[in-house]
């Protein structure tokens, strides 16, 4: 007779973990904070956001400079190396953390505004981010002033998530919280449903739920490259907004750390159980590989495009533990991270242009000519398909870029702290 004890134990862990996650989020929502408003920035938020902004640049350095960035997948277990796999997988934490903390920051900033004012601001800033994605960040990626391809990436997802949040803040915290839970835990139900593939409905489904480097043509030699599906990421922002009340002055630091740690451990446990069972939460199952290390790689190699529940559980579970752990940490290194974390938008825009400028210099310095600037296989100028360097060059360029950008970020952080122009809240 089959021994059902392991499966039974897993089911118990799954139910316990899911219950802990829901109760943790519910504790965040149901708490009844006093109307006290934040008197200072929460440094742990800035530290974590600064860390993920620096890590994010590593992935983009790999895109611009690694020899196999566009002819192979760094998570392809048949060809990857441990260092290359790590270089990619560590950057998985960036987008989830940024969306979550964007929601939390929106809640804290909203304490200074009425509901109507907060709604208008979020909608306007969200639409502004969408415009920036199309016109500013796309140009930084491509260096193509003709805009043959408009890239719809993380700022696109943040922008529309902010618009949706701006509409929902006019309702109630309950609506925001429940909507976030449904999108966060339920969006992978669509893996089992036949959804529209063609026509307007198919495009809408792609934009909202299923985008995965999907090219949407709008004419001859022009179109949109949709990388980030909107609504699964919106769920992250909405839960981050609901979590914001734990960062009000009315909550004690020790209480906040306990809840964040409990939520983080519960999300990790939920990830482990669901991932082991291979039944829900990620369309790409794990499997036994040639050795234990690569089997572990397969287990944590979850789907980012479109983002899966297990991807979010793994990354946010660990991130919440880190957020709880660094609450009391203050040293020179965290002081540096705070600088980047307080001006993430400026840093994000600048790092594309600086990195691409370095790519142009290396392009010509290594003997490439003007006839190679445009590669019809890629939308990026000065970055042919079969061009690039070993991984150590990627890390060297990454370190150069983040070090150089420290000083403009430091200057702008000081400028914004001493000035009150209206446009500063959009940058």
């Amino acid at each position: 007779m089959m021994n059902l004890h392991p499966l039974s134990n897993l089911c118990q862990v799954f139910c316990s973990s899911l219950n802990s996650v829901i109760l943790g989020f519910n504790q965040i929502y149901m708490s009844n904070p006093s109307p006290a408003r934040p008197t200072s920035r929460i440094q742990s938020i800035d530290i974590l956001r600064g860390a993920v902004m620096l890590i994010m640049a590593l992935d983009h350095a790999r895109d611009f400079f690694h020899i196999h960035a566009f002819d192979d997948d760094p998570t392809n277990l048949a060809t990857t190396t441990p260092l290359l796999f790590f270089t990619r997988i560590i950057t998985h934490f960036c987008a989830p953390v940024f969306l979550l903390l964007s929601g939390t920051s929106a809640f804290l900033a909203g304490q200074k505004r009425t509901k109507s004012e907060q709604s208008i601001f979020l909608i306007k800033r969200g639409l502004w981010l969408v415009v920036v994605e199309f016109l500013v960040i796309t140009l930084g990626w491509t260096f193509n002033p003709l805009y043959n391809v408009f890239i719809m990436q993380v700022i696109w997802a943040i922008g529309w998530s902010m618009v949706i949040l701006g509409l929902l803040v006019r309702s109630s915290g309950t609506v925001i919280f429940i909507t976030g839970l449904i999108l966060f835990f339920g969006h992978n139900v669509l893996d089992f449903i036949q959804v529209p593939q063609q026509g307007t409905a198919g495009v809408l489904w792609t934009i909202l739920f299923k985008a995965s480097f999907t090219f949407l043509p709008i004419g001859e030699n022009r179109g949109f490259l949709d990388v980030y599906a909107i609504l699964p990421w919106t769920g992250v922002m909405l839960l981050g907004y609901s979590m914001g009340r734990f960062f009000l002055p009315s909550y004690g630091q020790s209480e906040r750390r306990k809840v964040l740690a409990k939520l983080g451990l519960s999300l990790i446990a939920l990830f482990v159980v669901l991932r082991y069972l291979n039944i829900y939460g990620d369309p790409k199952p794990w499997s036994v590989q040639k050795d234990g290390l690569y089997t572990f790689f397969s287990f944590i190699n979850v789907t980012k495009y479109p983002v899966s529940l297990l991807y979010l559980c793994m990354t946010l579970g660990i991130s919440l533990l880190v957020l709880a752990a660094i609450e009391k940490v203050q040293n020179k290194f965290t002081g540096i991270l705070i600088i980047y974390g307080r001006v993430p938008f400026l840093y994000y825009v600048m790092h594309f242009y600086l990195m691409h400028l370095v790519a142009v210099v290396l392009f010509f310095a290594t003997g490439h000519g003007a006839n190679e600037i445009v590669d019809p296989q890629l939308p990026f100028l000065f970055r042919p398909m079969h061009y690039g360097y070993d991984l150590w060059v990627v890390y060297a360029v990454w370190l150069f870029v983040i070090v150089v950008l420290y000083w403009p970020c430091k200057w702008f952080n000081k400028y914004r702290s001493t000035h009150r122009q209206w446009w500063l809240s959009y940058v």
Side-chain angles (χ1 to χ4, degrees):
M1 181 179 294
M2 182 183 299
N3 185 357
L4 296 179
H5 290 298
L7 182 59
S8 175
N9 291 337
L10 279 173
C11 289
Q12 291 177 12
V13 173
F14 165 73
C15 293
S16 175
S17 301
L18 181 60
N19 185 58
S20 296
V21 172
I22 299 298
L23 287 177
F25 279 122
N26 190 56
Q27 183 178 355
I28 291 174
Y29 167 67
M30 292 301 293
S31 302
N32 187 26
S34 70
R37 295 179 176 182
T39 57
S40 61
R41 292 181 68 100
I42 305 296
Q43 289 199 351
S44 57
I45 292 177
D46 290 328
I47 292 170
L48 183 57
R49 183 160 45 210
V52 299
M53 294 304 290
L54 297 187
I55 293 171
M56 168 213 62
L58 176 59
D59 195 43
H60 298 154
R62 183 187 58 80
D63 287 330
F64 278 115
F65 299 102
H66 190 235
I67 184 64
H68 295 300
F70 293 104
D71 62 16
D72 200 2
D73 185 344
T75 61
N76 179 359
L77 299 183
T79 58
T80 194
T81 64
L83 181 57
L84 180 58
F85 185 88
F86 169 81
T87 302
R88 175 55 176 151
I89 210 74
I90 191 66
T91 64
H92 277 4
F93 291 85
C94 303
V97 169
F98 202 65
L99 264 293
L100 186 79
L101 296 184
S102 293
T104 301
S105 298
F107 176 87
L108 295 175
Q111 303 306 299
K112 304 174 184 178
R113 300 182 174 99
T114 66
K115 275 191 175 185
S116 177
E117 291 171 340
Q118 185 183 17
S119 174
I120 293 171
F121 172 75
L122 288 171
I123 292 171
K124 288 167 62 178
R125 188 162 195 264
L127 294 175
W128 158 246
L129 290 177
V130 172
V131 172
V132 168
E133 180 79 281
F134 284 154
L135 300 183
V136 180
I137 296 173
T138 289
L139 184 61
W141 265 116
T142 66
F143 269 22
N144 180 359
L146 300 180
Y147 290 98
N148 294 94
V149 176
F150 293 95
I151 298 177
M152 302 153 67
Q153 208 176 12
V154 66
I155 298 300
W156 154 269
I158 292 173
W160 283 115
S161 296
M162 205 166 280
V163 170
I164 294 169
L165 176 59
L167 295 173
L168 289 176
V169 294
R170 292 180 177 270
S171 57
S172 66
T174 304
V175 172
I176 294 173
F177 176 66
I178 293 176
T179 304
L181 284 179
I182 292 172
L183 291 174
F184 188 93
F185 290 103
H187 71 271
N188 277 121
V189 170
L190 296 176
D191 295 340
F192 307 97
I193 299 174
Q194 185 65 35
V195 298
Q197 302 294 324
Q198 305 295 328
T200 303
V203 171
L204 188 60
W205 272 107
T206 296
I207 291 173
L208 294 178
F209 288 106
K210 290 298 181 181
S212 177
F213 289 90
T214 308
F215 186 73
L216 305 172
I218 57 174
E220 187 176 356
N221 298 321
R222 194 176 302 277
F224 297 92
L225 183 63
D226 195 352
V227 182
Y228 276 61
I230 294 171
L231 289 184
W233 292 107
T234 301
V236 177
M237 181 176 284
L238 298 184
L239 291 182
Y241 182 89
S242 299
M243 191 178 75
R245 62 187 62 218
F246 260 141
F247 290 90
L248 291 175
S250 51
Y251 287 99
Q253 187 182 78
S254 59
E255 179 188 1
R256 176 167 58 244
R257 294 179 67 200
K258 287 178 182 178
V259 174
L260 292 176
K262 182 178 179 181
L263 269 175
L265 290 171
S266 299
L267 285 172
I268 293 170
L270 186 62
F271 161 76
V272 171
V273 175
L274 283 179
R275 187 61 169 160
Y276 180 84
L277 295 175
N278 271 339
I279 57 174
Y280 179 75
D282 197 285
K284 181 171 60 179
W286 70 279
S287 61
V288 176
Q289 301 294 313
K290 61 184 180 182
D291 58 33
L293 178 62
Y294 277 74
T295 297
F296 173 70
F297 286 169
S298 178
F299 194 82
I300 65 172
N301 187 21
V302 284
T303 304
K304 183 177 182 180
Y305 307 108
V307 65
S308 71
L309 169 63
L310 295 189
Y311 177 102
L312 295 175
C313 286
M314 179 183 76
T315 54
L316 289 178
I318 295 173
S319 299
L320 287 172
L321 291 180
V322 173
L323 189 60
I326 63 177
E327 182 109 12
K328 295 183 178 181
V329 178
Q330 293 187 18
N331 52 47
K332 289 184 178 180
F333 181 64
T334 59
I336 292 172
L337 294 180
I338 285 172
I339 296 297
Y340 295 100
R342 287 183 175 174
V343 291
F345 179 78
L346 178 73
Y347 166 84
Y348 185 81
V349 173
M350 288 195 304
H351 96 280
F352 279 116
Y353 284 87
L354 179 56
M355 204 168 281
H356 209 149
L357 284 172
V358 174
V360 172
V361 172
L362 292 179
F363 175 86
F364 287 114
T366 52
H368 294 273
N371 62 317
E372 298 177 272
I373 292 176
V374 178
D375 187 327
Q377 301 179 79
L378 294 175
F380 315 116
L381 303 190
F382 305 97
R383 207 303 177 198
M385 173 70 75
H386 303 294
Y387 160 86
Y389 312 90
D390 293 334
L391 206 52
W392 73 267
V393 177
V394 172
Y395 275 84
V397 173
W398 168 62
L399 288 172
F400 170 77
V401 168
I402 64 175
V403 169
V404 168
L405 291 181
Y406 173 76
W407 285 278
C409 288
K410 184 178 181 180
W411 171 85
F412 186 67
N413 177 55
K414 183 177 180 180
Y415 180 88
R416 194 163 66 173
S417 66
T418 56
H419 293 73
R420 293 293 180 267
Q421 293 95 326
W422 65 269
W423 57 270
L424 288 172
S425 59
Y426 289 85
V427 180

